Amino acid sequence: MALPEAISAAICAALGVPFHARSQRAVGGGCIHRALTLEDGSRRFFVKVNEAAAAPMFEAEADGLEAIAASGTIRVPAVVTAGMAEGQAFLVLEHLDLGGHGDPRDMGRALAALHRSSGGPHFGWRRDNFIGATAQLNAPDGDWPRFFVRQRLRPQLEWAKQRGCSRRLCDEGNLLASRTGEFFDGYKPLPSLLHGDLWGGNAGNLEDGTPVIFDPAVYWGDREADLAMTELFGGFGAGFLAAYREAWPLDAGYAVRKTLYNLYHVLNHFNLFGGGYAGQAEHMVASLLAEVRG
């Protein structure tokens, strides 16, 4: 059985209605998985496909999308099914037309609603998942700074060392990790449900302007970590952050801590792609150490 036919059969089984793909079209934009649309003339689905070893990534993505959907706060593509066929792993999602141009303030308010929707019992998540193609560790912890150091910062620093980063980045990065608690004097974040990988490429709008987020790396963490990433690569439009602040004001220390949170993502980019991300990470570490040394 060809792969589209096997996936069609899985869709039939999941939905309990007939579906046979009459056409398939490759979709660009992803750097980890292959993506395509399957349609039968009346229904269309978005499908991610990769080697069998990628099955845990699809399982984690489905888990994250379902968690966000259950909050009832912001639109995500619905999970249809996931599985294996013809030696390939696949994930089938609702197909959404993301050609709309919404008001960035709507996205800001929706994100604040997500963060306020369901406080977790601890920091972390019910399973480890992935940030891009990198393992993201989520062992439960009741202490946020300790969680961030043990499950976010130190693993990325160790992987950067293995990848051949500079001695300076390794040594000063670990010094920063040992002093991370100093950025949280007087600030005790709640464990909010986070998207976890919220850059502009993982957000969009339906034709009617409704904000949508996708490709999550969910966990319960400090909401500032999500907001920080929206500023790392841009793309969220004027008014987004102001609307979030109106819905749920931020602590003054966010202005400094956002660099700490984005260091995690910049280190991950170095570990995935190399290049100039190591130098960017060094500058971020230096600026953060200047804050605690000052």
Side-chain angles (χ1 to χ4, degrees):
M1 182 184 293
L3 185 60
E5 294 172 350
I7 296 174
S8 292
I11 293 171
C12 288
L15 298 181
V17 296
F19 177 82
H20 179 73
R22 294 181 182 176
S23 65
Q24 66 178 70
R25 181 171 60 88
V27 180
C31 61
I32 300 174
H33 312 296
R34 290 179 289 122
L36 61 147
T37 59
L38 296 180
E39 54 185 309
D40 67 355
S42 61
R43 284 164 298 183
R44 181 185 301 172
F45 298 95
F46 180 80
V47 184
K48 295 185 177 185
V49 180
N50 209 327
E51 301 301 320
M57 298 178 71
F58 291 149
E59 292 166 3
E61 181 175 348
D63 174 56
L65 288 170
E66 288 170 343
I68 296 173
S71 75
T73 58
I74 188 167
R75 191 80 156 84
V76 293
V79 176
V80 177
T81 189
M84 301 279 293
E86 303 297 308
Q88 302 279 292
F90 64 86
L91 173 65
V92 181
L93 303 175
E94 172 189 15
H95 185 277
L96 298 176
D97 291 316
L98 298 177
H101 299 282
D103 186 336
R105 293 173 295 183
D106 291 338
M107 181 72 80
R109 287 187 285 264
L111 185 63
L114 172 67
H115 291 164
R116 300 189 88 150
S117 64
S118 177
H122 50 68
F123 299 104
W125 193 238
R126 54 195 174 218
R127 59 179 295 159
D128 292 338
N129 48 28
F130 298 87
I131 183 74
T134 305
Q136 179 167 264
L137 310 178
N138 289 314
D141 198 318
D143 182 274
W144 169 250
R146 183 174 61 202
F147 171 87
F148 187 76
V149 169
R150 291 181 178 178
Q151 306 293 313
R152 297 290 180 266
L153 211 49
R154 287 201 188 277
Q156 290 287 351
L157 287 167
E158 179 58 31
W159 293 326
K161 180 180 179 180
Q162 295 171 12
R163 209 182 193 284
C165 74
S166 69
R167 179 70 176 271
R168 176 188 175 190
L169 178 56
C170 183
D171 290 350
E172 295 197 354
N174 279 289
L175 175 60
L176 174 66
S178 71
R179 302 191 65 174
T180 291
E182 296 176 44
F183 293 96
F184 295 88
D185 289 343
Y187 175 64
K188 304 297 180 185
L190 301 171
S192 295
L193 180 61
L194 307 186
H195 176 281
D197 192 12
L198 197 55
W199 67 291
N202 287 344
N205 297 91
L206 299 180
E207 292 293 342
D208 65 1
T210 299
V212 179
I213 55 177
F214 43 90
D215 289 348
V218 301
Y219 62 101
W220 288 304
D222 181 6
R223 64 195 176 104
E224 289 183 352
D226 257 0
L227 284 174
M229 197 177 190
T230 67
E231 298 194 62
L232 180 59
F233 300 119
F236 283 81
F240 163 80
L241 188 58
Y244 184 101
R245 287 179 180 271
E246 288 172 7
W248 193 358
L250 292 169
D251 182 84
Y254 168 71
V256 172
R257 284 189 297 269
K258 66 182 179 182
T259 302
L260 178 68
Y261 292 139
N262 282 337
L263 176 61
Y264 169 60
H265 296 292
V266 172
L267 285 169
N268 187 51
H269 274 62
F270 170 70
N271 290 324
L272 288 172
F273 310 118
Y277 292 110
Q280 184 179 0
E282 285 185 7
H283 287 302
M284 295 169 82
V285 170
S287 70
L288 289 164
L289 283 175
E291 292 286 338
V292 293
R293 285 169 172 161

